Amino acid sequence: MYNDCALNCERCLKKLCARGIPVFAGLEYSQLERIAGLTEHRAYAKGDVVVEENSRPGFVAIVSGGGMKAYKHTPDGREQILYVFSEGDFFGEQSLLFDKPSAYRVAALQPSELCILRKEAFRSLLLDHPDIGMKVIEELGWRLEHLENAVQNMGVRNLEARICTGLLELAGKYGETVPEGVLVHMPLSREGFANYIGIARETASRKLGQLEDGRVIKPAGGRAILICDVHALEAAAGLGVSI
Amino acid sequence: MYNDCALNCERCLKKLCARGIPVFAGLEYSQLERIAGLTEHRAYAKGDVVVEENSRPGFVAIVSGGGMKAYKHTPDGREQILYVFSEGDFFGEQSLLFDKPSAYRVAALQPSELCILRKEAFRSLLLDHPDIGMKVIEELGWRLEHLENAVQNMGVRNLEARICTGLLELAGKYGETVPEGVLVHMPLSREGFANYIGIARETASRKLGQLEDGRVIKPAGGRAILICDVHALEAAAGLGVSI
DNA sequence: CGTGGATTTGATACGGGTCAATGAGGGTGG
DNA sequence: CCACCCTCATTGACCCGTATCAAATCCACG
């Protein structure tokens, strides 16, 4: 399932500092050292399940490398991706205050590393550092907004708007501005992307093909996509999402 | 837009006590008195808009009577209901820690009353009563779970499952057990219900008609619906939601 | 260079949206 | 007290959009 990781605390600590993990932003180096001392490090291979739906993980995990998908699945195998987590994101918020079972499964999209804080450790951190609590609440607020948008997308908006919104959303997190436009390093396969926006894999292919024909996007090797015409994409997305 | 309400604090205080508003559960009577002193009371008529999408309300509101819907709407008039708030629920969490614009509009479903706490007042309450903060986080956790389920419903589940899940969900909040089954006092019109689960009004009618034919539900006057066969409904809902 | 998985493309079916007409309440005014 | 009207809900017919099934092609990796 997972390997106790060979990463030493020093490396993790560097990461905590260097990457500016949001929930720990603003803490002193010495405080980060203390946190690093509390964390356990685990590495996962692609496909490994980190948290099972309805289980009580008992820890809060911060992604220190790679990426994770959080998804719900039906008995007939259809999966709906709720979140994509990458470096600096955390999950396991169910363990934060009261032990609620996780509403979703979390699995690694790539070989990944996690910093794990057992719930007791995280709670004691919260007591000592109210800032962290604030950051957590802020993050939950963003997560709510993300889902509120997702519900609207799936409820009342057409396929094209959903694709474009999904692309722009991922561009915001995984995109880099280059002279030709915005280069998005997609964390998800086509199938994953389809499961993220709630459409069929084939349909995602088709519509992305149309966007290519319209010179709005261009494949850029591997999973990368170059958004050539951001404005067209935003117009098609229709409302309220910008990179 | 709204009338400063003739309710006196005494009545509001009684409500705070009597209804056991979740976020204030566990507080002393004297503390509730202090809160009542901080609140402002407003009454709204059906259809009144309380918070506009993208506005910064600057307050946290607790529903003390009636009901509210929170929804997003597209330029072409389609609306997606995200939450239904009734007595004891709160909204305006965007003002909690940082002034984020509201991601949705809130409007009264019926003549309603709100207890309004300006953000400064609520923040000072949070400082004095960490319990309230915990309750707020807990509530946000439930709200996340609600949306996570909604996203799955809209993404990968068929119409019947969505209707049944929606009915069961509302039954949990607005249902009372009677000898014949569960009597649900629907807070939403047919159109509202359709907008809540993300389908067309007509389709909702049709499928509810089929459920009546199958003796699963029965109209019970006005908007009320009697669920005769809870098990059948749960089976059709398919997964994970129980009253 | 070969193999297997992922992606794209094509053809078809059908769920559910849309439009249009009818029907049921419930409040209002005569 | 009844009739009317306005709103909301139901019912039916139709058709578009998207899922599904099937096959071809691409691509990464050994």
Side-chain angles (χ1 to χ4, degrees), chain B residues 80-82 84 146 149-150 152-154 157-175 182 184-189 192-199 204 208 211 217 225 227 233-234 236-243:
Chain B
Q80 175 63 50
I81 296 180
L82 299 169
V84 178
H146 158 69
N149 286 325
Q152 183 189 31
N153 281 333
M154 301 184 153
R157 301 181 68 206
N158 65 18
L159 187 146
E160 180 157 317
R162 281 155 75 174
I163 291 231
C164 295
T165 305
L167 271 178
L168 287 169
E169 195 186 330
L170 292 176
K173 203 167 172 187
Y174 301 98
V182 179
V184 189
H185 302 278
M186 300 284 285
L188 297 167
S189 66
F193 183 61
N195 290 341
Y196 186 54
I197 58 182
I199 62 175
L208 286 172
L211 288 175
I217 63 174
I225 291 179
I227 302 178
L233 208 58
E234 283 172 345
L239 23 86
V241 177
S242 56
I243 302 194

Side-chain angles (χ1 to χ4, degrees), chain B residues 113-124:
Chain B
E113 295 134 36
L114 296 181
C115 293
I116 303 236
L117 272 160
R118 294 212 58 79
K119 65 184 183 202
E120 299 80 13
F122 195 81
R123 284 177 190 168
S124 79

Side-chain angles (χ1 to χ4, degrees), chain B residues 180-181 207-219 225-233:
Chain B
E180 304 91 325
K207 287 289 174 179
L208 286 172
Q210 290 176 16
L211 288 175
E212 283 176 34
D213 295 344
R215 311 281 176 221
V216 178
I217 63 174
K218 193 187 290 185
I225 291 179
L226 175 70
I227 302 178
C228 316
D229 190 342
V230 176
H231 293 305
L233 208 58

Side-chain angles (χ1 to χ4, degrees), chain A residues 12-21 32:
Chain A
C12 180
L13 186 53
K14 279 220 180 75
K15 281 209 163 183
L16 284 174
C17 267
R19 307 291 309 184
I21 288 185
L32 288 174

Side-chain angles (χ1 to χ4, degrees), chain A residues 36-219:
Chain A
L38 291 172
T39 58
E40 177 189 339
H41 311 287
R42 294 186 191 167
Y44 294 86
K46 176 178 174 178
D48 282 354
V49 173
V50 180
V51 174
E52 188 52 83
E53 194 172 341
N54 291 320
S55 73
R56 298 167 201 272
F59 58 76
V60 173
I62 298 159
V63 180
S64 61
M68 302 263 155
K69 63 176 174 180
Y71 62 103
K72 297 173 79 79
H73 52 109
T74 43
D76 57 326
R78 304 172 65 104
E79 62 180 60
Q80 174 63 51
I81 295 180
L82 298 169
Y83 310 106
V84 179
F85 298 129
S86 53
E87 257 183 66
D89 295 326
F90 69 87
F91 58 91
E93 70 280 357
Q94 299 82 8
S95 304
L96 230 53
L97 293 177
F98 49 110
D99 270 317
K100 198 161 68 151
S102 176
Y104 46 80
R105 178 191 281 177
V106 179
L109 287 168
Q110 321 147 32
S112 302
E113 296 134 35
L114 296 181
C115 292
I116 303 235
L117 273 159
R118 295 213 56 80
K119 65 184 183 201
E120 299 80 13
F122 195 81
R123 285 178 190 166
S124 80
L125 263 182
L126 281 182
L127 286 178
D128 294 353
H129 302 288
D131 296 4
I132 295 180
M134 298 289 188
K135 287 284 180 186
V136 168
I137 293 183
E138 182 173 340
E139 170 61 23
L140 294 184
W142 288 114
R143 219 168 274 190
L144 271 176
E145 185 166 341
H146 159 67
L147 288 179
E148 286 158 358
N149 286 325
V151 167
Q152 183 190 30
N153 281 334
M154 300 184 154
V156 301
R157 302 181 67 208
N158 65 21
L159 188 145
E160 181 157 316
R162 282 154 76 174
I163 292 231
C164 295
T165 305
L167 271 177
L168 287 170
E169 195 187 330
L170 292 176
K173 202 168 171 185
Y174 301 98
E176 63 176 306
T177 304
V178 295
E180 304 91 325
V182 179
L183 184 61
V184 188
H185 302 279
M186 299 285 284
L188 296 166
S189 66
R190 279 289 184 281
E191 177 158 19
F193 183 60
N195 290 341
Y196 186 53
I197 59 182
I199 62 175
R201 172 179 67 246
E202 297 93 327
T203 311
S205 271
R206 259 182 273 270
K207 287 288 174 180
L208 286 172
Q210 291 176 16
L211 288 175
E212 282 175 34
D213 296 345
R215 311 282 176 220
V216 178
I217 63 174
K218 194 187 289 184

